[in-house]
Amino acid sequence: MLRIENLHAFYRGNEALKGVSLDVGQGEIVALIGANGAGKTTLLNCVSGIHTDMIGQITFNGKNIAGEPAHELVKQGLVQCPENRQLFGVMSVQENLEMGAYLATGEIQGVSLAKRIEDMFLKFPVLKSRRRQLAGTLSGGEQQMVAIARGLMSDPKLFMLDEPSLGLAPIIVEDMFRIIKEMKNEGRTILLVEQNALAALALSDRAYLLETGRLTLGGSSTMFVKDDRVRRAYLGNDIDVEHIFDDLLD
Ligand SMILES: Nc1ncnc2c1ncn2[C@@H]1O[C@H](COP(=O)(O)OP(=O)(O)OP(=O)(O)O)[C@@H](O)[C@H]1O
Ligand SMILES: [Mg+2]
């Protein structure tokens, strides 16, 4: 579905991505893990058309999309849920959701805007009781739910999540991972950037490791969890490899 080939990205001449190639298949959850500053957000921003100082090939469903503006890509089903949520703080929860469907022009695959909002409230009941509250006054966890719901409003073909658990209390983090797992069960294709590498690996089919602008490892998430280097740098040594998948996903 998504294929990136030899992508280089720059900030005023500084190279943040140094020849990255990866792909995401239909229905897959692919995790992108890496330390702070590795270039994860830059990569998502290149794909979604937000970061334009780049060279390389990006194809989405067989079509070259490199250089296309972000709003065109949203129409094609490529949607990013940005780091730090970036909600419209002075708009209500409901208005934020409506903004998510803005480019989808009212009806999405025959489903009305009102129905779609109701669907989101079924999925995130806490948001229903807060539908008129200004998004900027919600808790961090609630804001993250709005950000995800806003992205889902346009029924993305590929949903890119940038650090959905960032800054949330542990119990809310668990909720967030449950929501991602639900999306996985619904068959949604997701590219997931997460600092919480263990959870990201438990949720994903495949993973890539990004280190200072280069992919240094790629493979099945099960293989990642067992990889010595990944364990040392990102998971710690004390985890019980045999049980983490069960524990996290039950
Ligand atoms: N707007 C910018 N101007 C200049 N340099 C930038 C800018 N944004 C990012 N960079 C640099 O590009 C590199 C990659 O940053 P990026 O935000 O993509 O990393 P990241 O992996 O998402 O990190 P984090 O885990 O902290 O979110 C870093 O060295 C960063 O300093
Ligand atoms: Mg980032």
Side-chain angles (χ1 to χ4, degrees):
M1 174 178 271
L2 176 73
R3 169 155 291 162
I4 300 174
E5 282 168 284
N6 201 19
L7 182 66
H8 298 255
F10 309 89
Y11 293 100
R12 295 172 186 267
N14 288 323
E15 198 172 8
L17 295 177
K18 302 165 182 164
V20 169
S21 300
L22 66 78
D23 55 90
V24 180
Q26 171 92 38
E28 268 194 317
I29 300 214
V30 173
L32 180 62
I33 61 177
N36 290 124
K40 306 179 297 294
T41 297
T42 304
L43 191 146
L44 296 195
N45 286 347
C46 286
V47 173
S48 61
I50 293 167
H51 186 83
T52 52
D53 190 358
M54 60 173 195
I55 48 173
Q57 270 218 323
I58 307 175
T59 50
F60 184 55
N61 289 328
K63 178 173 173 262
N64 181 18
I65 56 159
E68 281 201 39
H71 63 270
E72 283 300 327
L73 295 173
V74 172
K75 279 190 204 164
Q76 292 170 38
L78 216 166
V79 175
Q80 181 173 4
C81 185
E83 200 172 0
N84 297 320
R85 325 195 234 285
Q86 299 178 20
L87 298 177
F88 305 101
V90 295
M91 289 164 68
S92 71
V93 167
Q94 174 145 351
E95 286 164 341
N96 269 274
L97 297 188
E98 286 166 2
M99 289 303 287
Y102 163 71
L103 288 166
T105 59
E107 287 214 356
I108 308 131
Q109 294 171 354
V111 182
S112 73
L113 180 62
K115 166 78 169 66
R116 203 149 259 290
I117 287 179
E118 280 313 312
D119 286 348
M120 287 309 139
F121 288 151
L122 278 179
K123 207 176 183 52
F124 306 97
V126 63
L127 299 185
K128 182 164 190 171
S129 57
R130 301 191 176 272
R131 64 200 297 168
R132 312 233 172 271
Q133 188 171 330
L134 297 186
T137 64
L138 297 170
S139 74
E142 290 162 350
Q143 290 196 19
Q144 186 63 60
M145 284 181 207
V146 176
I148 290 179
R150 181 182 61 181
L152 289 175
M153 282 295 289
S154 62
D155 195 15
K157 293 194 176 78
L158 173 64
F159 201 17
M160 301 193 289
L161 300 170
D162 197 351
E163 310 265 12
S165 77
L166 190 70
L168 304 182
I171 185 159
I172 311 293
V173 168
E174 224 170 273
D175 279 351
M176 208 49 64
F177 290 135
R178 261 175 232 294
I179 289 165
I180 296 169
K181 194 188 165 210
E182 234 174 80
M183 293 194 277
K184 175 191 174 121
N185 292 343
E186 290 162 0
R188 206 168 284 285
T189 310
I190 295 175
L191 179 54
L192 172 65
V193 167
E194 251 301 326
Q195 289 273 319
N196 189 330
L198 182 57
L201 293 174
L203 286 164
S204 57
D205 305 297
R206 288 191 301 115
Y208 292 96
L209 177 61
L210 187 61
E211 295 183 298
T212 53
R214 287 193 175 87
L215 290 178
T216 52
L217 191 67
S220 79
S221 301
T222 330
M223 179 276 276
F224 256 69
V225 173
K226 291 179 178 160
D227 182 274
D228 275 345
R229 197 160 47 104
V230 171
R231 293 184 59 161
R232 259 198 315 277
Y234 299 94
L235 302 178
N237 267 327
D238 52 351
I239 57 165
D240 182 343
V241 174
E242 301 306 319
H243 293 111
I244 51 168
F245 284 88
D246 293 346
D247 287 355
L248 256 163
L249 295 180
D250 278 350

